[in-house]
Amino acid sequence: MNVTEPVGEHMDTVLITVEFTGGLEMLFSNKRKHSLPLPAVDEKGGASNLAYLVRYLCDNLMSGCKKELFVLHDTVRPGILVLVNDADWELEGEGAYVLQKGDNILFVSTLHGG
């Protein structure tokens, strides 16, 4: 579906909560929980989905140059569990899942030093 209305500075947003645990919070200003008003439409004109959220987090929220600790080949690294409203993102379509107002997205690092 194409949106033909002009897009102004006050775009529609989707308010979601993003949480990081297992050490990932260190990549995001040592803050575990973030309330984010994301644009409802991604840079390509599609509905904002989890793939867009990952790009958005790297470009706008990540502190420092540690992107490689969070993403690999434009998706979340192996060893990071992603939960969408307490369900594994694999059950929700992974990156294709379209974000909804009120969603809670949790990123958990399962990698631990030994």
Side-chain angles (χ1 to χ4, degrees):
M1 178 167 122
N2 269 337
V3 177
T4 57
E5 295 177 12
V7 178
E9 288 184 23
H10 301 290
M11 298 170 55
D12 286 336
T13 59
V14 178
L15 184 61
I16 63 170
T17 300
V18 179
E19 296 183 71
F20 303 98
T21 63
L24 288 174
E25 60 274 14
M26 293 186 315
L27 302 176
F28 299 92
S29 303
N30 286 316
K31 188 175 175 187
R32 180 175 182 219
K33 192 173 192 176
H34 301 262
S35 182
L36 295 179
L38 285 180
V41 176
D42 68 13
E43 65 274 2
K44 296 176 184 174
S48 292
N49 58 21
L50 278 173
Y52 172 72
L53 173 62
V54 170
R55 292 191 304 274
Y56 181 91
L57 292 172
C58 290
D59 294 342
N60 298 288
L61 206 61
M62 186 174 283
S63 55
C65 299
K66 302 289 186 183
K67 183 177 176 179
E68 69 277 0
L69 296 175
F70 186 62
V71 296
L72 178 68
H73 305 299
D74 296 325
T75 191
V76 176
R77 288 187 69 83
I80 295 177
L81 178 64
V82 182
L83 299 178
V84 178
N85 303 321
D86 296 324
D88 191 320
W89 80 324
E90 291 179 3
L91 300 173
E92 300 292 344
E94 297 185 7
Y97 172 79
V98 175
L99 296 166
Q100 306 293 316
K101 285 185 179 180
D103 278 348
N104 187 70
I105 312 299
L106 174 64
F107 295 91
V108 182
S109 175
T110 61
L111 301 176
H112 301 281

